[in-house]
Protein backbone atom coordinates (compact mmCIF):
# COMPACT_ATOMS: atom_id res chain seq x y z
CA UNK A 1 0.00 0.00 0.00
CA UNK A 2 1.27 3.51 -0.77
CA UNK A 3 1.38 6.03 2.04
CA UNK A 4 -2.02 7.65 1.66
CA UNK A 5 -1.71 9.58 4.93
CA UNK A 6 0.67 12.09 3.48
CA UNK A 7 -1.26 13.03 0.33
CA UNK A 8 -1.43 16.85 0.42
CA UNK A 9 -4.66 18.83 0.55
CA UNK A 10 -3.51 21.42 -1.99
CA UNK A 11 -6.16 22.87 -4.33
CA UNK A 12 -3.93 21.94 -7.29
CA UNK A 13 -4.81 18.32 -6.47
CA UNK A 14 -8.45 18.90 -7.29
CA UNK A 15 -9.71 17.17 -10.41
CA UNK A 16 -10.98 19.11 -13.41
CA UNK A 17 -13.84 21.35 -12.24
CA UNK A 18 -15.99 20.35 -15.23
CA UNK A 19 -15.77 16.74 -14.12
CA UNK A 20 -18.78 16.87 -11.81
CA UNK A 21 -20.96 18.52 -14.44
CA UNK A 22 -19.86 16.02 -17.08
CA UNK A 23 -20.54 13.00 -14.88
CA UNK A 24 -23.92 14.29 -13.68
CA UNK A 25 -24.85 15.03 -17.33
CA UNK A 26 -23.76 11.57 -18.46
CA UNK A 27 -25.72 9.94 -15.62
CA UNK A 28 -28.92 11.61 -16.74
CA UNK A 29 -28.34 11.30 -20.50
CA UNK A 30 -27.49 7.62 -20.45
CA UNK A 31 -29.82 6.43 -17.72
CA UNK A 32 -27.58 5.96 -14.70
CA UNK A 33 -29.29 8.31 -12.23
CA UNK A 34 -32.50 10.35 -12.45
CA UNK A 35 -33.89 12.96 -10.10
CA UNK A 36 -36.67 11.25 -8.16
CA UNK A 37 -40.28 12.33 -8.91
CA UNK A 38 -38.93 14.43 -11.77
CA UNK A 39 -42.30 14.73 -13.51
CA UNK A 40 -43.57 16.47 -10.35
CA UNK A 41 -40.67 18.87 -10.24
CA UNK A 42 -38.33 16.50 -8.39
CA UNK A 43 -38.01 15.57 -4.72
CA UNK A 44 -34.92 17.09 -3.19
CA UNK A 45 -32.09 14.73 -2.29
CA UNK A 46 -33.70 11.59 -3.64
CA UNK A 47 -32.58 9.82 -6.77
CA UNK A 48 -33.74 6.91 -8.88
CA UNK A 49 -31.22 4.54 -10.42
CA UNK A 50 -31.96 3.93 -14.10
CA UNK A 51 -31.26 0.90 -16.30
CA UNK A 52 -27.48 1.44 -16.32
CA UNK A 53 -27.18 2.82 -12.78
CA UNK A 54 -28.97 -0.13 -11.25
CA UNK A 55 -26.45 -2.48 -12.90
CA UNK A 56 -23.48 -0.41 -11.74
CA UNK A 57 -24.79 -0.08 -8.18
CA UNK A 58 -25.58 -3.79 -8.03
CA UNK A 59 -22.07 -4.59 -9.29
CA UNK A 60 -20.51 -2.34 -6.61
CA UNK A 61 -22.50 -4.16 -3.93
CA UNK A 62 -21.69 -7.57 -5.43
CA UNK A 63 -17.97 -6.74 -5.57
CA UNK A 64 -18.12 -5.77 -1.89
CA UNK A 65 -20.07 -8.93 -0.99
CA UNK A 66 -17.62 -11.08 -2.94
CA UNK A 67 -14.62 -9.57 -1.11
CA UNK A 68 -16.22 -9.38 2.33
CA UNK A 69 -18.34 -12.57 2.46
CA UNK A 70 -17.91 -14.95 -0.47
CA UNK A 71 -14.11 -15.10 -0.44
CA UNK A 72 -13.85 -15.46 3.35
CA UNK A 73 -14.75 -18.21 5.77
CA UNK A 74 -14.85 -15.85 8.76
CA UNK A 75 -17.67 -13.54 7.62
CA UNK A 76 -21.37 -14.33 7.19
CA UNK A 77 -24.19 -12.20 5.81
CA UNK A 78 -27.38 -10.72 7.22
CA UNK A 79 -30.36 -8.77 5.92
CA UNK A 80 -32.10 -7.10 8.87
CA UNK A 81 -35.29 -5.05 8.98
CA UNK A 82 -35.24 -1.34 8.12
CA UNK A 83 -38.06 -0.47 10.54
CA UNK A 84 -37.04 -0.77 14.15
CA UNK A 85 -38.43 0.00 17.61
CA UNK A 86 -37.13 2.93 19.72
CA UNK A 87 -35.49 0.50 22.18
CA UNK A 88 -32.76 -0.29 19.63
CA UNK A 89 -31.87 3.38 19.13
CA UNK A 90 -32.21 4.21 22.79
CA UNK A 91 -29.60 1.56 23.64
CA UNK A 92 -27.28 2.37 20.73
CA UNK A 93 -27.15 6.02 21.76
CA UNK A 94 -28.68 7.29 18.51
CA UNK A 95 -31.72 8.85 20.17
CA UNK A 96 -29.52 11.10 22.28
CA UNK A 97 -26.32 11.34 20.21
CA UNK A 98 -27.15 11.02 16.53
CA UNK A 99 -27.50 14.72 16.01
CA UNK A 100 -25.99 17.45 13.90
CA UNK A 101 -25.53 21.03 15.17
CA UNK A 102 -28.15 23.10 13.37
CA UNK A 103 -27.93 26.89 12.93
CA UNK A 104 -30.13 29.39 11.07
CA UNK A 105 -28.78 32.42 9.24
CA UNK A 106 -30.39 35.48 10.86
CA UNK A 107 -30.38 37.35 7.55
CA UNK A 108 -31.71 34.91 4.94
CA UNK A 109 -33.12 32.24 7.31
CA UNK A 110 -31.24 29.41 5.52
CA UNK A 111 -30.50 26.46 7.77
CA UNK A 112 -26.99 24.93 7.94
CA UNK A 113 -24.88 22.32 9.69
CA UNK A 114 -22.58 24.40 11.87
CA UNK A 115 -19.63 22.03 11.38
CA UNK A 116 -19.91 22.18 7.57
CA UNK A 117 -19.68 25.95 7.01
CA UNK A 118 -16.86 28.37 7.72
CA UNK A 119 -18.70 30.89 9.91
CA UNK A 120 -20.19 32.60 6.86
CA UNK A 121 -23.60 31.83 5.38
CA UNK A 122 -22.90 30.13 2.02
CA UNK A 123 -26.14 31.67 0.71
CA UNK A 124 -25.84 35.38 1.64
CA UNK A 125 -22.44 35.79 3.32
CA UNK A 126 -23.87 36.88 6.69
CA UNK A 127 -22.01 35.94 9.87
CA UNK A 128 -25.07 36.27 12.13
CA UNK A 129 -26.52 32.94 13.18
CA UNK A 130 -28.89 31.57 15.82
CA UNK A 131 -27.18 29.51 18.55
CA UNK A 132 -26.60 25.88 17.50
CA UNK A 133 -29.17 23.30 18.53
CA UNK A 134 -28.94 19.52 18.27
CA UNK A 135 -31.03 18.12 15.43
CA UNK A 136 -31.68 14.36 15.44
CA UNK A 137 -31.10 12.80 12.03
CA UNK A 138 -33.38 9.80 12.39
CA UNK A 139 -36.63 9.51 10.43
CA UNK A 140 -39.48 8.81 12.80
CA UNK A 141 -42.70 7.11 11.73
CA UNK A 142 -45.56 5.08 13.22
CA UNK A 143 -46.09 1.35 12.85
CA UNK A 144 -49.75 0.37 12.65
CA UNK A 145 -52.90 2.47 12.50
CA UNK A 146 -52.48 4.47 15.71
CA UNK A 147 -50.16 7.44 15.60
CA UNK A 148 -49.32 7.64 19.29
CA UNK A 149 -46.01 7.39 21.18
CA UNK A 150 -46.41 3.64 21.67
CA UNK A 151 -46.45 3.13 17.90
CA UNK A 152 -43.25 5.06 17.16
CA UNK A 153 -40.76 3.32 14.90
CA UNK A 154 -37.59 4.55 13.23
CA UNK A 155 -36.10 3.99 9.81
CA UNK A 156 -32.59 2.76 10.53
CA UNK A 157 -29.89 5.43 10.09
CA UNK A 158 -27.22 2.70 9.73
CA UNK A 159 -27.30 -1.05 9.10
CA UNK A 160 -24.84 -1.80 11.92
CA UNK A 161 -27.33 -2.20 14.78
CA UNK A 162 -28.95 -5.14 12.93
CA UNK A 163 -25.69 -7.04 13.38
CA UNK A 164 -25.43 -6.28 17.10
CA UNK A 165 -28.99 -7.23 17.96
CA UNK A 166 -28.60 -10.50 15.99
CA UNK A 167 -25.16 -11.29 17.44
CA UNK A 168 -26.36 -14.26 19.52
CA UNK A 169 -28.67 -15.56 16.76
CA UNK A 170 -25.75 -15.63 14.32
CA UNK A 171 -23.33 -17.07 16.88
CA UNK A 172 -25.71 -19.92 17.71
CA UNK A 173 -26.74 -20.75 14.16
CA UNK A 174 -23.32 -20.58 12.50
CA UNK A 175 -20.95 -21.80 15.26
CA UNK A 176 -18.54 -18.99 14.38
CA UNK A 177 -16.06 -17.83 16.95
CA UNK A 178 -14.14 -14.56 17.20
CA UNK A 179 -12.56 -13.28 15.10
CA UNK A 180 -15.60 -13.41 12.83
CA UNK A 181 -17.78 -10.89 11.06
CA UNK A 182 -21.39 -10.21 10.08
CA UNK A 183 -21.89 -8.23 6.88
CA UNK A 184 -24.92 -6.40 5.54
CA UNK A 185 -25.80 -4.31 2.52
CA UNK A 186 -28.94 -2.21 2.52
CA UNK A 187 -30.78 1.06 2.72
CA UNK A 188 -30.30 3.58 5.51
CA UNK A 189 -32.05 6.88 6.09
CA UNK A 190 -30.82 10.13 7.59
CA UNK A 191 -32.68 13.39 7.68
CA UNK A 192 -29.61 15.30 6.52
CA UNK A 193 -29.82 19.07 7.03
CA UNK A 194 -27.82 19.87 3.93
CA UNK A 195 -27.96 17.00 1.45
CA UNK A 196 -25.57 17.86 -1.36
CA UNK A 197 -23.25 16.97 -4.18
CA UNK A 198 -25.52 14.72 -6.21
CA UNK A 199 -25.66 11.24 -4.58
CA UNK A 200 -22.75 11.98 -2.22
CA UNK A 201 -25.06 12.94 0.64
CA UNK A 202 -28.72 11.99 0.33
CA UNK A 203 -31.47 11.28 2.83
CA UNK A 204 -32.03 7.75 1.53
CA UNK A 205 -28.87 5.82 0.64
CA UNK A 206 -27.30 2.39 0.68
CA UNK A 207 -24.59 1.18 3.00
CA UNK A 208 -22.20 -1.79 3.00
CA UNK A 209 -21.19 -2.50 6.58
CA UNK A 210 -19.42 -5.30 8.40
CA UNK A 211 -19.06 -5.82 12.14
CA UNK A 212 -15.97 -7.90 12.91
CA UNK A 213 -16.08 -9.37 16.44
CA UNK A 214 -12.65 -9.96 17.98
CA UNK A 215 -11.03 -10.78 21.32
CA UNK A 216 -10.43 -7.34 22.94
CA UNK A 217 -6.65 -7.80 23.03
CA UNK A 218 -6.59 -8.27 19.23
CA UNK A 219 -8.66 -5.17 18.40
CA UNK A 220 -5.77 -2.93 17.33
CA UNK A 221 -4.31 -5.64 15.08
CA UNK A 222 -7.64 -6.17 13.32
CA UNK A 223 -8.27 -2.43 13.04
CA UNK A 224 -5.03 -2.05 11.08
CA UNK A 225 -5.76 -5.20 9.08
CA UNK A 226 -9.12 -3.80 7.91
CA UNK A 227 -7.61 -0.41 7.04
CA UNK A 228 -5.31 -2.18 4.58
CA UNK A 229 -7.98 -4.52 3.24
CA UNK A 230 -10.47 -1.77 2.61
CA UNK A 231 -7.98 0.61 0.99
CA UNK A 232 -6.92 -2.19 -1.38
CA UNK A 233 -10.53 -2.96 -2.30
CA UNK A 234 -10.90 0.45 -3.95
CA UNK A 235 -7.56 0.35 -5.77
CA UNK A 236 -8.22 -3.25 -6.90
CA UNK A 237 -11.40 -2.02 -8.59
CA UNK A 238 -9.59 0.71 -10.45
CA UNK A 239 -9.50 3.88 -8.34
CA UNK A 240 -5.93 5.23 -8.67
CA UNK A 241 -4.11 5.20 -5.30
CA UNK A 242 -3.27 8.89 -5.64
CA UNK A 243 -7.00 9.71 -5.58
CA UNK A 244 -7.41 7.91 -2.25
CA UNK A 245 -6.06 8.44 1.24
CA UNK A 246 -6.57 7.23 4.79
CA UNK A 247 -7.28 9.94 7.34
CA UNK A 248 -7.18 9.15 11.05
CA UNK A 249 -9.71 10.98 13.22
CA UNK A 250 -8.43 13.27 15.93
CA UNK A 251 -9.60 12.62 19.50
CA UNK A 252 -12.15 15.47 19.31
CA UNK A 253 -13.72 13.98 16.18
CA UNK A 254 -14.31 10.42 17.44
CA UNK A 255 -17.89 9.11 17.73
CA UNK A 256 -19.18 8.32 21.20
CA UNK A 257 -18.49 4.59 20.74
CA UNK A 258 -15.09 4.74 19.07
CA UNK A 259 -11.57 4.02 20.34
CA UNK A 260 -10.11 4.83 16.93
CA UNK A 261 -11.48 5.70 13.50
CA UNK A 262 -9.93 6.28 10.09
CA UNK A 263 -11.74 7.28 6.93
CA UNK A 264 -10.95 6.13 3.43
CA UNK A 265 -11.22 9.40 1.51
CA UNK A 266 -11.51 10.03 -2.21
CA UNK A 267 -10.42 13.18 -4.03
CA UNK A 268 -13.85 14.46 -5.09
CA UNK A 269 -14.13 17.52 -7.37
CA UNK A 270 -14.65 19.65 -4.21
CA UNK A 271 -11.73 18.09 -2.32
CA UNK A 272 -11.01 15.09 -0.10
CA UNK A 273 -14.14 13.53 1.37
CA UNK A 274 -15.22 10.30 3.04
CA UNK A 275 -16.09 7.07 1.25
CA UNK A 276 -15.88 4.79 4.22
CA UNK A 277 -15.23 4.91 7.96
CA UNK A 278 -13.30 2.13 9.70
CA UNK A 279 -13.83 2.21 13.46
CA UNK A 280 -12.83 0.33 16.57
CA UNK A 281 -16.27 0.38 18.25
CA UNK A 282 -14.91 -1.47 21.31
CA UNK A 283 -17.56 -3.45 23.24
CA UNK A 284 -19.82 -0.39 23.39
CA UNK A 285 -22.71 -1.71 21.31
CA UNK A 286 -22.90 -5.28 22.61
CA UNK A 287 -22.69 -4.05 26.21
CA UNK A 288 -25.30 -1.36 25.63
CA UNK A 289 -27.76 -3.83 24.06
CA UNK A 290 -27.03 -6.44 26.74
CA UNK A 291 -27.79 -3.96 29.45
CA UNK A 292 -30.95 -2.63 27.82
CA UNK A 293 -32.38 -6.00 26.74
CA UNK A 294 -31.24 -8.13 29.68
CA UNK A 295 -29.79 -10.69 27.22
CA UNK A 296 -26.24 -12.03 27.47
CA UNK A 297 -24.39 -10.78 24.41
CA UNK A 298 -21.08 -12.53 25.02
CA UNK A 299 -18.85 -15.23 23.67
CA UNK A 300 -17.87 -18.24 25.73
CA UNK A 301 -14.39 -19.45 24.82
CA UNK A 302 -14.48 -23.14 25.75
CA UNK A 303 -10.75 -23.68 25.39
CA UNK A 304 -9.79 -20.87 27.74
CA UNK A 305 -12.96 -21.45 29.77
CA UNK A 306 -13.72 -17.75 29.79
CA UNK A 307 -16.63 -15.56 28.85
CA UNK A 308 -16.06 -12.16 27.28
CA UNK A 309 -17.74 -9.40 25.30
CA UNK A 310 -15.93 -9.10 21.95
CA UNK A 311 -14.63 -5.80 20.60
CA UNK A 312 -15.88 -4.79 17.18
CA UNK A 313 -14.00 -3.45 14.18
CA UNK A 314 -16.39 -1.90 11.69
CA UNK A 315 -15.64 -1.03 8.06
CA UNK A 316 -18.71 1.04 7.05
CA UNK A 317 -18.98 2.18 3.44
CA UNK A 318 -21.66 3.90 1.39
CA UNK A 319 -22.70 1.97 -1.73
CA UNK A 320 -24.26 4.94 -3.53
CA UNK A 321 -21.44 7.30 -2.54
CA UNK A 322 -18.85 4.74 -3.62
CA UNK A 323 -20.61 4.26 -6.95
CA UNK A 324 -20.27 8.00 -7.53
CA UNK A 325 -16.53 7.82 -6.79
CA UNK A 326 -16.12 4.96 -9.26
CA UNK A 327 -17.89 7.04 -11.92
CA UNK A 328 -15.76 10.13 -11.25
CA UNK A 329 -12.51 8.14 -11.33
CA UNK A 330 -13.53 6.31 -14.52
CA UNK A 331 -14.60 9.35 -16.56
CA UNK A 332 -12.13 10.23 -19.33
CA UNK A 333 -12.14 12.11 -22.59
CA UNK A 334 -9.61 11.04 -25.20
CA UNK A 335 -9.15 10.80 -28.95
CA UNK A 336 -9.38 7.79 -31.23
CA UNK A 337 -7.90 8.36 -34.69
CA UNK A 338 -8.41 12.10 -34.33
CA UNK A 339 -12.00 11.73 -33.09
CA UNK A 340 -12.93 12.81 -29.55
CA UNK A 341 -14.65 10.28 -27.36
CA UNK A 342 -15.93 10.01 -23.81
CA UNK A 343 -14.97 6.77 -22.13
CA UNK A 344 -15.77 5.34 -18.70
CA UNK A 345 -12.77 3.22 -17.79
CA UNK A 346 -14.78 1.18 -15.28
CA UNK A 347 -13.40 -2.11 -14.02
CA UNK A 348 -15.14 -4.90 -16.02
CA UNK A 349 -16.63 -6.25 -12.79
CA UNK A 350 -18.39 -2.92 -12.23
CA UNK A 351 -19.37 -1.95 -15.80
CA UNK A 352 -23.17 -1.90 -16.34
CA UNK A 353 -22.66 -4.11 -19.39
CA UNK A 354 -19.64 -6.33 -19.84
CA UNK A 355 -20.34 -6.99 -23.49
CA UNK A 356 -21.97 -5.05 -26.32
CA UNK A 357 -23.24 -7.40 -29.04
CA UNK A 358 -23.32 -5.53 -32.33
CA UNK A 359 -24.40 -7.05 -35.66
CA UNK A 360 -22.60 -5.04 -38.34
CA UNK A 361 -25.79 -4.59 -40.32
CA UNK A 362 -29.51 -4.76 -39.63
CA UNK A 363 -29.86 -7.15 -42.59
CA UNK A 364 -31.88 -10.23 -41.75
CA UNK A 365 -29.04 -12.54 -42.80
CA UNK A 366 -26.97 -11.50 -39.75
CA UNK A 367 -29.75 -11.39 -37.18
CA UNK A 368 -30.06 -15.15 -36.34
CA UNK A 369 -26.31 -15.55 -35.82
CA UNK A 370 -26.05 -12.33 -33.80
CA UNK A 371 -28.95 -13.41 -31.58
CA UNK A 372 -27.40 -16.85 -31.04
CA UNK A 373 -24.11 -15.18 -30.00
CA UNK A 374 -26.11 -12.99 -27.60
CA UNK A 375 -27.91 -15.94 -25.98
CA UNK A 376 -24.64 -17.84 -25.61
CA UNK A 377 -23.12 -14.88 -23.72
CA UNK A 378 -26.11 -13.94 -21.53
CA UNK A 379 -25.70 -16.69 -18.90
CA UNK A 380 -22.16 -15.39 -18.25
CA UNK A 381 -22.22 -11.64 -18.83
CA UNK A 382 -24.58 -8.67 -18.73
CA UNK A 383 -24.95 -7.83 -22.44
CA UNK A 384 -26.36 -4.98 -24.46
CA UNK A 385 -27.67 -5.80 -27.94
CA UNK A 386 -27.46 -2.77 -30.21
CA UNK A 387 -28.33 -2.66 -33.91
CA UNK A 388 -29.03 1.00 -34.52
CA UNK A 389 -26.71 3.48 -36.35
CA UNK A 390 -23.19 3.03 -37.69
CA UNK A 391 -20.76 0.69 -35.98
CA UNK A 392 -18.50 3.64 -35.10
CA UNK A 393 -21.35 5.40 -33.30
CA UNK A 394 -22.26 2.21 -31.48
CA UNK A 395 -18.67 1.77 -30.27
CA UNK A 396 -18.73 5.37 -28.96
CA UNK A 397 -22.01 4.70 -27.15
CA UNK A 398 -20.60 1.60 -25.48
CA UNK A 399 -17.36 3.44 -24.57
CA UNK A 400 -19.37 6.21 -22.94
CA UNK A 401 -21.10 3.78 -20.56
CA UNK A 402 -17.97 1.76 -19.86
CA UNK A 403 -18.66 -1.50 -21.73
CA UNK A 404 -15.21 -3.19 -21.75
CA UNK A 405 -15.78 -5.40 -24.82
CA UNK A 406 -17.80 -5.14 -27.99
CA UNK A 407 -18.47 -8.22 -30.09
CA UNK A 408 -19.20 -7.48 -33.74
CA UNK A 409 -20.87 -10.02 -36.00
CA UNK A 410 -20.19 -9.34 -39.68
CA UNK A 411 -20.85 -11.09 -42.98
CA UNK A 412 -17.57 -13.06 -42.71
CA UNK A 413 -18.89 -14.49 -39.44
CA UNK A 414 -21.39 -16.52 -41.48
CA UNK A 415 -18.44 -18.22 -43.18
CA UNK A 416 -15.65 -18.40 -40.58
CA UNK A 417 -17.84 -18.72 -37.44
CA UNK A 418 -15.77 -16.03 -35.77
CA UNK A 419 -16.50 -12.53 -34.47
CA UNK A 420 -14.47 -9.39 -33.81
CA UNK A 421 -13.81 -8.51 -30.17
CA UNK A 422 -12.95 -4.85 -29.57
CA UNK A 423 -11.32 -3.65 -26.36
CA UNK A 424 -12.70 -0.40 -24.88
CA UNK A 425 -9.40 0.96 -23.55
CA UNK A 426 -6.95 0.01 -26.31
CA UNK A 427 -9.60 -0.17 -29.09
CA UNK A 428 -7.62 -3.19 -30.31
CA UNK A 429 -9.67 -5.66 -32.34
CA UNK A 430 -9.09 -9.40 -32.61
CA UNK A 431 -10.94 -12.19 -34.35
CA UNK A 432 -12.24 -14.91 -32.00
CA UNK A 433 -14.00 -18.19 -32.99
CA UNK A 434 -17.59 -18.11 -31.69
CA UNK A 435 -17.14 -21.40 -29.85
CA UNK A 436 -14.24 -19.87 -27.88
CA UNK A 437 -15.89 -16.53 -27.17
CA UNK A 438 -17.17 -17.21 -23.65
CA UNK A 439 -13.79 -18.63 -22.59
CA UNK A 440 -11.92 -15.69 -24.15
CA UNK A 441 -14.08 -13.06 -22.44
CA UNK A 442 -14.03 -14.94 -19.15
CA UNK A 443 -10.24 -15.05 -19.20
CA UNK A 444 -10.10 -11.30 -19.92
CA UNK A 445 -12.50 -10.75 -17.03
CA UNK A 446 -10.31 -12.85 -14.70
CA UNK A 447 -7.20 -10.90 -15.70
CA UNK A 448 -8.79 -7.46 -15.23
P1 LIG B 1 -20.62 12.06 6.95
O1 LIG B 1 -19.57 12.57 7.91
O2 LIG B 1 -20.25 12.19 5.49
O3 LIG B 1 -22.01 12.54 7.25
P2 LIG B 1 -20.63 9.70 8.55
O4 LIG B 1 -19.24 9.72 9.06
O5 LIG B 1 -21.75 10.11 9.42
O6 LIG B 1 -20.71 10.48 7.15
P3 LIG B 1 -20.96 6.87 8.74
O7 LIG B 1 -21.99 6.92 9.80
O8 LIG B 1 -19.57 6.45 9.08
O9 LIG B 1 -20.94 8.26 7.96
O10 LIG B 1 -21.53 5.98 7.55
C1 LIG B 1 -20.71 5.12 6.79
C2 LIG B 1 -20.76 5.47 5.33
O11 LIG B 1 -22.10 5.59 4.87
C3 LIG B 1 -20.13 6.83 4.98
O12 LIG B 1 -18.74 6.70 4.87
C4 LIG B 1 -20.76 7.13 3.66
O13 LIG B 1 -20.10 6.47 2.58
C5 LIG B 1 -22.14 6.55 3.81
N1 LIG B 1 -23.09 7.62 4.13
C6 LIG B 1 -23.34 8.16 5.34
N2 LIG B 1 -24.28 9.13 5.25
C7 LIG B 1 -24.63 9.20 3.94
C8 LIG B 1 -25.56 10.00 3.20
N3 LIG B 1 -26.33 10.88 3.81
N4 LIG B 1 -25.65 9.80 1.87
C9 LIG B 1 -24.88 8.87 1.23
N5 LIG B 1 -24.01 8.08 1.89
C10 LIG B 1 -23.87 8.23 3.21
Amino acid sequence: MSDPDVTPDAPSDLPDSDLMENVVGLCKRRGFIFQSAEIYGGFRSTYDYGPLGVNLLRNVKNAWWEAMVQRRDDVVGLDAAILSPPAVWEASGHLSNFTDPLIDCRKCNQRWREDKIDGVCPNCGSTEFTPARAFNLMFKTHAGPVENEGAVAYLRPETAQGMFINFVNVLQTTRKKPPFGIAQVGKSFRNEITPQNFVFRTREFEQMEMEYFVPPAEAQHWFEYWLDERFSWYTGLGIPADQLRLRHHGADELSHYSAGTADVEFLFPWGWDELEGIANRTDFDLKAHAQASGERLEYFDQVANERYVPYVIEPAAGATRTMMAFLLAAYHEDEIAGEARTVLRLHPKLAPYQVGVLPLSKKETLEPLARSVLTSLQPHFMCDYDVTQSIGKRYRRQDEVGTPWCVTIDFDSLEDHAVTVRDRDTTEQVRVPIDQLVAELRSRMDQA
Side-chain angles (χ1 to χ4, degrees):
M1 188 166 109
S2 65
D3 189 356
D5 282 320
V6 298
T7 320
D9 239 324
S12 59
D13 279 351
L14 295 185
D16 172 13
S17 58
D18 293 337
L19 180 62
M20 189 73 183
E21 209 173 304
N22 289 336
V23 168
V24 173
L26 176 67
C27 281
K28 163 115 215 238
R29 191 170 69 251
R30 298 303 311 273
F32 282 88
I33 300 175
F34 306 123
Q35 173 73 61
S36 200
E38 199 177 359
I39 61 168
Y40 293 103
F43 186 44
R44 188 163 178 237
S45 174
T46 50
Y47 292 91
D48 297 341
Y49 291 78
L52 296 191
V54 72
N55 285 354
L56 174 57
L57 182 58
R58 188 174 286 234
N59 291 342
V60 168
K61 293 184 283 185
N62 286 347
W64 186 89
W65 196 263
E66 182 189 327
M68 302 297 279
V69 182
Q70 186 184 332
R71 285 178 182 262
R72 307 187 63 99
D73 64 1
D74 57 348
V75 180
V76 292
L78 181 78
D79 193 359
I82 288 172
L83 276 180
S84 35
V88 171
W89 308 106
E90 179 84 57
S92 69
H94 283 76
L95 275 175
S96 44
N97 289 320
F98 198 56
T99 57
D100 277 341
L102 182 70
I103 53 174
D104 291 348
C105 171
R106 288 195 193 276
K107 200 166 158 208
C108 70
N109 294 325
Q110 286 275 336
R111 197 157 272 187
W112 305 104
R113 244 174 89 170
E114 188 186 32
D115 58 328
K116 292 283 176 191
I117 62 169
D118 264 344
V120 177
C121 174
N123 186 46
C124 71
S126 164
T127 52
E128 297 286 308
F129 296 98
T130 57
R133 61 186 187 281
F135 174 76
N136 196 292
L137 297 181
M138 280 196 295
F139 277 98
K140 193 175 181 178
T141 186
H142 293 93
V146 186
E147 294 198 359
N148 63 18
E149 268 308 296
V152 165
Y154 289 94
L155 301 190
R156 65 181 180 199
E158 61 174 31
T159 63
Q161 298 304 320
M163 277 78 104
F164 299 126
I165 61 180
N166 280 292
F167 172 72
V168 171
N169 283 339
V170 173
L171 206 58
Q172 284 172 352
T173 51
T174 63
R175 299 174 168 275
K176 292 283 172 209
K177 53 179 204 242
F180 84 99
I182 310 178
Q184 180 168 206
V185 174
K187 291 239 170 168
S188 293
F189 302 82
R190 297 182 186 180
N191 198 3
E192 300 279 2
I193 300 163
T194 40
Q196 59 192 351
N197 290 329
F198 199 37
V199 296
F200 177 82
R201 186 184 306 288
T202 49
R203 297 200 170 111
E204 172 178 344
F205 55 98
E206 278 196 88
Q207 290 189 305
M208 311 183 286
E209 299 194 297
M210 199 269 286
E211 309 305 317
Y212 199 69
F213 300 92
V214 302
E218 296 175 18
Q220 185 59 24
H221 161 75
W222 289 112
F223 177 61
E224 284 158 25
Y225 168 87
W226 283 110
L227 293 184
D228 276 3
E229 284 289 303
R230 295 304 307 144
F231 192 90
S232 311
W233 185 78
Y234 294 96
T235 53
L237 287 170
I239 299 192
D242 63 359
Q243 291 178 34
L244 288 168
R245 70 175 187 184
L246 275 179
R247 188 182 66 79
H248 287 267
H249 285 206
D252 55 337
E253 211 187 331
L254 290 178
S255 314
H256 59 281
Y257 51 73
S258 175
T261 299
D263 291 342
V264 179
E265 294 190 335
F266 174 71
L267 189 55
F268 283 94
W270 58 90
W272 291 102
D273 221 329
E274 174 181 341
L275 285 181
E276 165 162 1
I278 297 141
N280 175 355
R281 291 181 80 124
T282 68
D283 53 9
F284 175 87
D285 303 271
L286 288 180
K287 277 195 170 153
H289 285 300
Q291 197 183 4
S293 66
E295 297 287 330
R296 271 192 155 173
L297 305 183
E298 300 166 340
Y299 175 71
F300 178 61
D301 183 341
Q302 283 174 334
V303 180
N305 195 25
E306 70 176 18
R307 195 173 279 287
Y308 67 89
V309 180
Y311 268 36
V312 173
I313 308 304
E314 175 195 71
T320 37
R321 191 180 283 188
T322 297
M323 165 179 162
M324 180 175 165
F326 281 120
L327 279 170
L328 288 163
Y331 186 95
H332 288 88
E333 289 172 2
D334 64 8
E335 262 188 24
I336 300 297
E339 207 194 308
R341 72 162 178 171
T342 299
V343 55
L344 282 187
R345 296 192 201 281
L346 287 169
H347 191 286
K349 258 192 188 165
L350 301 182
Y353 297 118
Q354 275 92 48
V355 190
V357 178
L358 318 175
L360 188 65
S361 130
K362 268 194 211 160
K363 291 226 172 73
E364 278 168 20
T365 36
L366 283 187
E367 170 97 14
L369 182 61
R371 288 228 162 253
S372 82
V373 169
L374 175 69
T375 37
S376 72
L377 293 173
Q378 277 170 329
H380 311 276
F381 308 102
M382 187 62 84
C383 301
D384 186 32
Y385 186 76
D386 189 1
V387 287
T388 56
Q389 296 192 307
S390 74
I391 193 73
K393 285 210 171 110
R394 282 184 272 163
Y395 283 152
R396 292 297 103 82
R397 276 210 296 270
Q398 296 294 338
D399 290 343
E400 196 184 41
V401 299
T403 310
W405 302 294
C406 284
V407 167
T408 305
I409 298 94
D410 57 26
F411 292 98
D412 287 344
S413 305
L414 298 169
E415 306 298 324
D416 66 1
H417 302 286
V419 290
T420 301
V421 175
R422 172 189 180 269
D423 182 275
R424 173 196 72 198
D425 297 335
T426 62
T427 71
E428 197 180 80
Q429 304 191 11
V430 293
R431 201 82 183 152
V432 176
I434 291 173
D435 61 7
Q436 289 168 30
L437 188 57
V438 169
E440 166 68 24
L441 292 174
R442 182 134 308 284
S443 109
R444 290 185 185 207
M445 193 77 184
D446 291 344
Q447 282 162 28

